[in-house]
């Protein structure tokens, strides 16, 4: 067997893998790179060894071991931490492509493993039967590597090859593997019909590789010519062996046709072995033609049934020949995913504690607060600062200032309209209504007066609301709401008990939050990851949450306590009859009343600011319209006066 192709090795530049991995460890883990110095040296050595372009079985083993190391690294580091550069040998000029991607590196390693198998297949060709089996197997391994790359082309931004190139390489390797099988069948003396089917499959693989090679970005033209010659050569072999088989069946007319077709296809091939094969076909054809002319006298058909191919090879899945076991590297390094999982579980734990312990306790307290006697100080009742009160007073002054500004704008609009009307009347008196034929002002400025009237009405409405707001502000007990709240404790034993219970719950809630902060899942996750290597910790997390079962039981007990206290508060309220006026109750009522008035004032301030902002905009728009109207009328008057004076 000759004229077989091997796929050249890709070349790579020094990736400074040790340094890049060390930086990745420092940036993505709490561990230091020096702790993993042995593993870093090992992976750096393997990367350097696979950079050697010379093929060998030792290099193949290094490639496979390095590939396993990359798979381990992929579990520990993000994909985009390390940059790799590879150049394609199938291109005449290639400066190389680079990408920060472990997947990019893995696919290029698969490429070189496929290349190694194709080269080692040719080197093992010593003509023996065992060598044919080895070659056939290696070519299938090579096809499997390229097929794997095709399935993962979209895993990285810089493709290892284009899709057409990938399919071309797979079919070249399958064609050569099938060719080995075909040649072994010849050595073993199998029937011509079987050898024809095997050869037919060889030619089909070469035809497929040629089809993709012509569309490929990488396959060179001389390779395409070679593939075309191989496809035609094995088509000729197919028809030759098919002819011999037909002759064995005494179908001599069809045999002649098959041999003629074999000779026709062979003439399209440029392989060196074509000459000897051509002599062989011609001799067989002359012999059968002579015998048919004088003895068999069978008609030579114009068509014969095609030979069915017999595929005997396939692209081996990489799992079949890539070792799975290797010495683990970075076993003690926690991958970023584990740390992310810890952070996510910490957040979920905090949410769990809030949902089932802290929030329920605070809700129970709220129910008690709401059920306390009305003279008790509500928890959300707070005083305000004098500075805040002054800011509201300034905002009230702003309302008055805005109101006055808009009134000035309205007056200006009114003055422009009046002046325009007076000017129009004076000119009519001066020139006479017959000569002064301009439209009277009263007929054209009505719309502006209507808009002006609307503005006045809105302004008056705003001022009424402002006055109400000023009145509310004057009623507020300013000293009361700005003084520190000092409320005497209730003499009611039940109210005191409620106070003790709520304070105890608040303290318990803070202690549980503090306990949750200290009791984290990280140590258990680290132990579990080192023990199993798994990164799924949901079951571990659910078991970890059982630590808070005692706190959830405390909440359940407090619910029962709340029911008891609420019933007692209700009974006390029902039995108290007509409540006497209590200074504490009056204090709370006055404070609530003043704060309620202040809330109303704040609401009016916000509405007033928006109102005057909108009204100011409308006044500006009307002022612009009136000024534009007055300018147009002024130009019209000047033009008419010029005409009248010229006459």
């Amino acid at each position: 067997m000759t004229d077989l192709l091997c796929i050249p090795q890709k070349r790579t530049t020094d990736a400074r893998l040790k340094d890049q991995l060390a930086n990745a460890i420092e940036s993505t883990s709490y561990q230091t790179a020096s702790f993993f110095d042995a593993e870093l040296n090992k992976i750096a050595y393997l990367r350097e060894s696979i950079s050697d372009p010379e093929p060998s079985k030792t290099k193949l083993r290094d490639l496979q071991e390095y590939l396993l190391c990359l798979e381990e690294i992929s579990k520990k580091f993000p994909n985009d931490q390390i940059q790799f550069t590879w150049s394609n040998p199938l291109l005449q000029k290639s400066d190389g492509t680079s990408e920060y991607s472990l997947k990019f590196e893995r696919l290029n390693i698969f490429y070189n493993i496929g290349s190694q198998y194709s080269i080692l297949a040719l080197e093992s060709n010593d003509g023996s039967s065992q060598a044919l089996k080895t070659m056939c197997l290696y070519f299938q391994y090579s096809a499997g590597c390229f097929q794997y790359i095709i399935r993962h082309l979209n895993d990285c931004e810089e493709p290892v090859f284009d899709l057409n190139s990938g399919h071309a390489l797979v079919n070249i390797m399958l064609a050569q593997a099938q060719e080995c099988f075909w040649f072994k069948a010849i050595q073993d003396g199998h029937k011509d019909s079987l050898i024809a089917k095997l050869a037919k499959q060889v030619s089909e693989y070469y035809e497929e590789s040629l089809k993709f090679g012509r569309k490929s970005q990488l396959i060179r033209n001389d390779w395409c010519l070679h593939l075309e010659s191989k496809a035609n050569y094995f088509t000729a072999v197919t028809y030759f062996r098919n002819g011999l088989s037909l002759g064995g069946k005494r179908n001599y007319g069809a045999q002649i046709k098959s041999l003629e077709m074999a000779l026709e296809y062979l003439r399209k091939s440029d392989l060196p072995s074509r000459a000897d094969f051509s002599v062989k076909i011609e001799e067989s054809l002359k012999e059968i033609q002579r015998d048919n002319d004088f003895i068999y006298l069978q008609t030579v058909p114009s068509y014969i049934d095609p030979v069915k191919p017999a595929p005997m090879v396939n692209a081996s899945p990489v799992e079949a020949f890539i070792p799975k076991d290797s010495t683990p590297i970075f076993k003690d390094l926690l991958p970023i995913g584990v740390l992310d999982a810890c952070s996510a579980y910490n957040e979920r734990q905090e949410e769990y504690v809030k949902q089932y312990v802290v929030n329920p306790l605070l809700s129970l307290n709220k129910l008690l607060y709401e059920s306390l006697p009305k003279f008790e100080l509500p928890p959300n009742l707070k005083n305000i600062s004098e500075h805040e009160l002054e800011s509201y007073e300034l905002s009230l002054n702003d309302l008055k200032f805005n109101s006055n500004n808009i009134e000035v704008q309205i007056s200006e609009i009114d003055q422009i309209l009046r002046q325009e009307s007076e000017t129009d009347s004076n000119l009519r008196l001066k020139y006479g209504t017959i000569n002064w034929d301009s439209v009277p002002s009263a007929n054209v400025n009505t719309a502006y007066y209507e808009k002006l009237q609307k503005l006045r009405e809105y302004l008056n409405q705003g001022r009424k609301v402002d006055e109400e707001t000023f009145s509310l502000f004057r009623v507020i007990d300013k000293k009361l709401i700005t003084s520190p709240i000092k409320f005497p404790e209730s003499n009611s034993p039940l109210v005191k008990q409620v106070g003790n219970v709520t304070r105890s719950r608040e303290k318990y809630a803070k202690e549980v939050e503090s306990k949750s902060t200290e009791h984290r899942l990280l140590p258990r996750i680290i132990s579990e990851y080192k023990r199993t290597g798994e990164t799924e910790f949901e079951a571990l997390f659910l078991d970890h949450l059982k630590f808070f079962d005692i706190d959830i039981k405390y909440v359940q007990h407090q619910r029962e306590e709340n029911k008891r206290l609420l019933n007692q508060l209700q009974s006390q309220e029902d039995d108290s009859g007509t409540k006497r006026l209590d200074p504490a109750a009056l204090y709370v009522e006055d404070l609530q009343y003043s704060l309620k008035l202040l809330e109303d004032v704040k609401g009016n301030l916000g509405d007033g600011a928006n109102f005057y902002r909108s009204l100011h905009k409308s006044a500006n728009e009307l002022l612009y319209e009136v000024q534009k109207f007055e300018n147009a009328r002024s130009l019209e008057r000047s033009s008419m006066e010029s005409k009248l004076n010229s006459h």
Side-chain angles (χ1 to χ4, degrees):
M1 286 179 60
T2 57
D3 307 315
L4 297 177
L5 294 175
C6 65
I7 311 303
Q9 292 271 284
K10 276 197 167 192
R11 294 180 179 271
T12 182
T13 59
D14 181 14
R16 297 184 300 103
L17 190 53
K18 181 178 180 179
D19 294 339
Q20 291 201 76
L21 276 175
N23 291 336
I25 291 173
E26 298 288 348
S27 62
T28 62
S29 172
Y30 65 87
Q31 295 157 295
T32 60
S34 59
F35 184 77
F36 303 97
D37 201 52
E39 286 99 328
L40 290 171
N41 287 331
K42 175 184 176 181
I43 193 73
Y45 166 77
L46 287 174
R47 185 58 167 69
E48 184 178 356
S49 69
I50 64 102
S51 301
D52 179 13
E54 292 300 320
S56 66
K57 290 186 176 181
T58 300
K59 182 180 178 182
L60 177 61
R61 287 194 297 269
D62 288 345
L63 280 166
Q64 292 174 338
E65 187 171 359
Y66 178 62
L67 182 65
L68 295 176
C69 289
L70 285 176
E71 291 176 358
E72 291 296 318
I73 292 172
S74 299
K75 299 174 185 177
K76 308 284 185 176
F77 298 97
N79 180 58
D80 59 352
Q81 294 293 300
I82 304 171
Q83 184 183 39
F84 300 97
T85 302
W86 289 86
S87 58
N88 200 314
L90 296 177
L91 292 174
Q92 292 182 352
K93 292 183 179 180
S94 176
D95 296 330
T97 54
S98 300
E99 186 174 346
Y100 281 91
S101 171
L102 290 169
K103 294 179 180 179
F104 176 69
E105 174 81 344
R106 287 184 73 248
L107 292 183
N108 278 288
I109 296 302
F110 268 112
Y111 180 98
N112 270 8
I113 291 175
S115 167
Q116 279 279 326
Y117 274 118
S118 73
I119 296 170
L120 293 175
L122 296 190
E123 290 183 350
S124 62
N125 184 15
D126 59 7
S128 66
S129 177
Q130 183 59 40
L132 284 175
K133 292 179 181 179
T134 300
M135 292 171 65
C136 182
L137 191 64
Y138 282 1
F139 283 134
Q140 291 178 83
Y141 288 171
S142 180
C145 290
F146 299 133
Q147 188 66 56
Y148 179 88
I149 296 171
I150 290 174
R151 291 198 301 269
H152 294 82
L153 273 182
N154 294 328
D155 288 358
C156 44
E157 295 179 1
E158 295 291 343
V160 177
F161 46 52
D162 62 283
L163 187 60
N164 288 314
S165 298
H167 285 306
L169 294 177
V170 170
N171 280 283
I172 290 173
M173 294 297 100
L174 291 179
Q176 296 184 166
Q178 179 81 11
E179 189 173 343
C180 293
F181 205 95
W182 161 81
F183 195 74
K184 181 69 167 58
I186 292 176
Q187 286 186 337
D188 294 345
H190 285 287
K191 293 181 179 180
D192 291 317
S193 58
L194 174 60
I195 294 175
K197 293 177 180 179
L198 295 174
K200 176 62 175 175
Q201 185 61 58
V202 175
S203 68
E204 288 194 356
Y205 280 136
Y206 277 123
E207 286 170 1
E208 280 293 293
S209 64
L210 177 62
K211 179 181 73 174
F212 288 110
R214 284 173 172 160
K215 295 184 287 186
S216 163
Q217 299 174 5
L218 301 179
I219 304 301
R220 302 193 303 263
N221 187 54
D222 58 326
W223 276 37
C224 289
L225 294 175
H226 174 77
L227 296 175
E228 185 176 13
S229 290
K230 294 284 280 192
N232 287 321
Y233 182 87
F234 276 95
T235 303
V237 171
T238 301
Y239 282 113
F240 174 70
R241 289 288 178 169
N242 182 56
L244 298 182
S245 176
L246 291 170
K249 298 175 183 179
R250 299 182 181 275
N251 194 349
Y252 303 116
Q255 180 184 10
I256 293 172
K257 180 61 178 177
S258 190
L259 292 175
E260 288 176 344
M261 293 180 69
L263 196 60
E264 180 182 346
Y265 275 99
L266 186 62
R267 288 172 181 151
K268 299 177 184 178
S269 176
D270 293 330
L271 296 183
S273 55
R274 182 188 70 170
D276 294 339
F277 189 28
S278 178
V279 172
K280 190 173 182 180
I281 297 174
E282 289 173 350
E283 289 177 351
S284 297
L285 180 59
K286 288 179 181 178
E287 183 180 349
I288 189 59
Q289 284 176 331
R290 184 182 62 249
D291 291 346
N292 188 55
D293 289 342
F294 291 101
I295 303 173
Y296 309 122
L297 303 177
Q298 292 184 7
T299 302
V300 177
S302 60
Y303 170 82
I304 58 175
D305 293 333
V307 176
K308 294 182 179 180
M312 303 303 295
V313 298
N314 53 50
S316 298
V318 295
E319 295 79 10
F321 57 90
I322 299 294
K324 298 180 179 61
D325 300 324
S326 67
T327 304
I329 60 171
F330 303 118
K331 184 178 180 181
D332 295 325
L333 178 67
L334 288 180
I336 193 68
V338 172
L339 298 179
D340 288 343
C342 289
S343 298
Y345 285 129
N346 288 343
E347 292 178 5
R348 287 177 60 186
Q349 177 178 315
E350 291 172 1
E351 184 62 31
Y352 179 85
V353 169
K354 284 184 179 180
Q355 182 177 354
Y356 293 103
V357 181
V358 175
N359 290 344
L361 289 177
L362 297 180
S363 297
L364 291 174
N365 280 359
K366 183 179 179 182
L367 288 174
L368 289 179
Y369 287 139
E370 292 173 349
S371 299
L372 288 173
K374 298 305 178 185
F375 58 84
E376 295 294 336
L377 186 67
N380 59 347
L381 203 62
K382 297 179 180 179
N383 64 338
I384 66 169
S385 66
E386 293 184 1
H387 176 72
E388 184 179 352
L389 189 65
E390 289 174 1
S391 69
Y392 298 139
E393 193 167 3
L394 291 174
S395 296
L396 286 168
N397 293 333
D398 287 341
L399 293 180
K400 189 178 295 184
F401 177 77
N402 291 333
S403 170
N404 293 336
N405 277 347
I406 293 172
E407 186 175 22
V408 170
Q409 286 179 298
I410 290 175
S411 299
E412 183 179 356
I413 295 168
D414 185 60
Q415 183 179 3
I416 293 172
L417 291 173
R418 289 180 183 279
Q419 287 179 351
E420 192 280 330
S421 181
E422 289 176 4
T423 302
D424 182 68
S425 297
N426 292 335
L427 290 172
R428 289 183 189 282
L429 291 173
K430 179 179 179 180
Y431 294 104
T433 56
I434 295 176
N435 294 323
W436 193 262
D437 57 357
S438 173
V439 180
S441 293
N443 294 347
V444 293
N445 61 14
T446 305
Y448 300 117
Y449 274 114
E450 289 177 354
K451 290 182 180 180
L452 187 62
Q453 182 60 28
K454 285 288 184 184
L455 288 178
R456 286 196 178 100
E457 291 174 0
Y458 287 141
L459 179 61
N460 290 333
Q461 292 173 8
R463 284 177 166 173
K464 286 181 181 179
V465 176
D466 292 346
E467 185 57 36
E468 292 174 3
T469 305
F470 284 123
S471 298
L472 289 175
F473 191 72
R474 285 191 290 268
V475 173
I476 293 173
D477 189 337
K478 300 176 181 58
K479 183 177 180 180
L480 177 64
I481 64 176
T482 56
S483 300
I485 296 176
K486 294 181 180 180
F487 186 68
E489 289 188 9
S490 174
N491 292 323
S492 168
L494 181 58
V495 172
K496 286 185 177 181
Q497 184 182 3
V498 168
N500 292 334
V501 168
T502 54
R503 285 190 292 273
S504 174
R505 289 174 182 171
E506 290 171 355
K507 180 181 178 183
Y508 191 92
K510 291 180 180 178
E511 289 175 350
V512 172
E513 288 181 320
S514 177
K515 181 173 69 171
S516 173
T517 302
E518 296 173 359
H519 186 68
R520 293 303 196 190
L521 188 60
L522 178 62
R524 293 186 66 183
I525 282 182
I526 292 175
S527 300
E528 185 70 11
Y529 176 75
K530 287 184 177 180
R531 186 177 67 85
T532 64
E534 296 293 330
T535 56
E536 176 55 53
F537 308 110
E538 186 65 21
L540 195 69
F541 174 66
L542 296 177
D543 182 68
H544 175 78
L545 292 180
K546 293 178 181 178
F547 179 77
F548 301 99
D549 286 353
I550 187 172
D551 304 306
I552 293 175
K553 289 181 181 179
Y554 173 82
V555 172
Q556 293 171 348
H557 172 72
Q558 291 304 309
R559 285 197 177 99
E560 297 300 320
E561 179 71 5
N562 238 48
K563 290 179 182 178
R564 184 182 68 80
L565 292 172
L566 288 171
N567 288 334
Q568 290 184 4
L569 287 170
Q570 183 63 44
S571 299
Q572 177 176 284
E573 185 176 353
D574 294 341
D575 295 342
S576 56
T578 304
K579 294 182 178 179
R580 60 187 177 83
L581 292 178
D582 188 280
L586 293 174
Y587 171 82
V588 172
E589 288 179 5
D590 289 345
L591 183 59
Q592 285 181 318
Y593 180 68
S594 288
L595 289 175
K596 175 64 172 61
L597 291 178
L598 183 61
E599 286 299 316
D600 293 341
V601 168
K602 287 162 63 176
N604 288 353
L605 286 174
D607 294 341
N610 292 332
F611 171 79
Y612 282 121
R613 191 179 300 113
S614 176
L615 194 61
H616 179 69
K617 180 181 178 182
S618 299
N620 274 338
E621 290 174 353
L622 182 57
L623 177 60
Y624 175 74
E625 289 180 26
V626 169
Q627 288 173 339
K628 187 177 179 182
F629 164 73
E630 198 280 331
N631 288 336
R633 295 281 287 180
S634 177
L635 291 174
E636 182 183 3
R637 288 193 298 268
S638 297
S639 176
M640 290 181 64
E641 278 193 289
S642 297
K643 290 180 181 179
L644 292 172
N645 290 332
S646 65
H647 290 302

